[in-house]
Amino acid sequence: EVQLVESGGGLVQPGGSLRLSCAASGFTFSSYSMNWVRQAPGKGLEWVSYISSSSSTIYYADSVKGRFTISRDNAKNSLYLQMNSLRAEDTAVYYCAREPRSTSCVSFDYWGQGTLVTVSS
Amino acid sequence: DIQMTQSPSSLSASVGDRVTITCRASQSISSYLNWYQQKPGKAPKLLIYAASSLQSGVPSRFSGSGSGTDFTLTISSLQPEDFATYYCQQSYSTPRVTFGQGTRLEIK
């Protein structure tokens, strides 16, 4: 069974840092591209960042570029999101999400349960 | 960025009803359109990919159609477990995908 389990969320002051983790199991993690998607309280979904299976290709949304860093450790079946210079508008539930292979239409077929990040003084 | 607009934003319906949700893209996205269902406090669940392909395990009462800029998600006969929020998502501009604002489906 595919499982994605996020951790690392919490309350942080504006300007602070936080590192999110996503532990993957039930599939060959090293073969899949992964993403972070966030959802502000009561709002819609926003794509945050993408990393290819080998970490060779990385992308960020303009809203987080220069402040967030995505990475992965295939040996540990883990995905990470280092978040620096956090702002109130970064407050959201952060989901890790898997992209299925062999499809021209990118979608997210498995999601974690999410971890809440609250940026507030 | 490609903007995705869903209509309606909310919808009240009864068990057994046929329901259609519309998603419009700000430019042509071919068939690079997916649909998700999200229940309160839960992660989104993929229902339809590539505009009309049913994700494995999803009931056949869900269907998708459209191409270019206009897309629809149809639920042929609403079940109690279908009351949720639905999102469309374009992947034409992958990896910078964008989502619609959501359609909340409520019990009448």
Side-chain angles (χ1 to χ4, degrees), chain A residues 35 37 39 43-47 50 59-62 65 95 99-100 103-114, chain B residues 1 31-34 36 38 41-46 49-51 55 87 89-91 94-101:
Chain A
N35 293 262
V37 177
Q39 186 170 36
K43 302 297 184 181
L45 299 163
E46 179 189 15
W47 171 78
Y50 161 94
Y59 295 104
Y60 300 98
D62 289 343
K65 193 178 300 182
Y95 296 100
E99 284 186 21
T103 174
S104 60
C105 180
V106 169
S107 61
F108 305 129
D109 62 348
Y110 285 94
W111 300 61
Q113 85 288 353
Chain B
D1 286 0
S31 296
Y32 293 94
L33 192 284
N34 307 306
Y36 299 85
Q38 186 178 34
K42 300 295 185 181
K45 172 187 175 182
L46 178 63
Y49 64 94
Q55 175 69 356
Y87 293 93
Q89 172 238 319
Q90 66 80 18
S91 61
T94 188
R96 292 179 177 85
V97 304
T98 51
F99 295 85
Q101 82 280 13

Side-chain angles (χ1 to χ4, degrees), chain A:
Chain A
E1 179 193 7
V2 172
Q3 281 198 315
L4 298 169
V5 179
E6 300 95 338
S7 60
L11 175 63
V12 61
Q13 293 187 339
S17 298
L18 215 52
R19 189 194 196 205
L20 306 183
S21 299
C22 171
S25 60
F27 65 103
T28 305
F29 180 71
S30 60
S31 296
Y32 289 82
S33 298
M34 298 294 295
N35 293 262
W36 288 99
V37 177
R38 68 184 180 183
Q39 186 170 36
K43 302 297 184 181
L45 299 163
E46 179 189 15
W47 171 78
V48 172
S49 185
Y50 161 94
I51 186 167
S52 63
S53 58
S54 63
S55 304
S56 60
T57 304
I58 286 174
Y59 295 104
Y60 300 98
D62 289 343
S63 57
V64 307
K65 193 178 300 182
R67 300 187 298 122
F68 290 11
T69 302
I70 191 172
S71 62
R72 64 191 295 163
D73 186 335
N74 287 341
K76 294 183 178 180
N77 291 336
S78 293
L79 175 72
Y80 305 102
L81 187 67
Q82 177 67 43
M83 303 186 297
N84 298 331
S85 302
L86 282 162
R87 307 166 179 168
E89 55 265 36
D90 296 318
T91 294
V93 173
Y94 285 74
Y95 296 100
C96 61
R98 189 185 85 165
E99 284 186 21
R101 299 171 62 190
S102 303
T103 174
S104 60
C105 180
V106 169
S107 61
F108 305 129
D109 62 348
Y110 285 94
W111 300 61
Q113 85 288 353
T115 187
L116 176 62
V117 173
T118 303
V119 184
S120 175
S121 55

Side-chain angles (χ1 to χ4, degrees), chain B residues 53-106:
Chain B
S53 296
L54 193 67
Q55 175 69 356
S56 177
V58 174
S60 59
R61 62 181 179 273
F62 291 92
S63 64
S65 65
S67 66
T69 60
D70 295 316
F71 302 86
T72 59
L73 172 70
T74 299
I75 309 172
S76 61
S77 178
L78 270 175
Q79 298 302 301
E81 61 268 29
D82 299 338
F83 292 95
T85 299
Y86 292 84
Y87 293 93
C88 62
Q89 172 238 319
Q90 66 80 18
S91 61
Y92 182 83
S93 61
T94 188
R96 292 179 177 85
V97 304
T98 51
F99 295 85
Q101 82 280 13
T103 294
R104 185 176 179 181
L105 179 54
E106 301 174 319

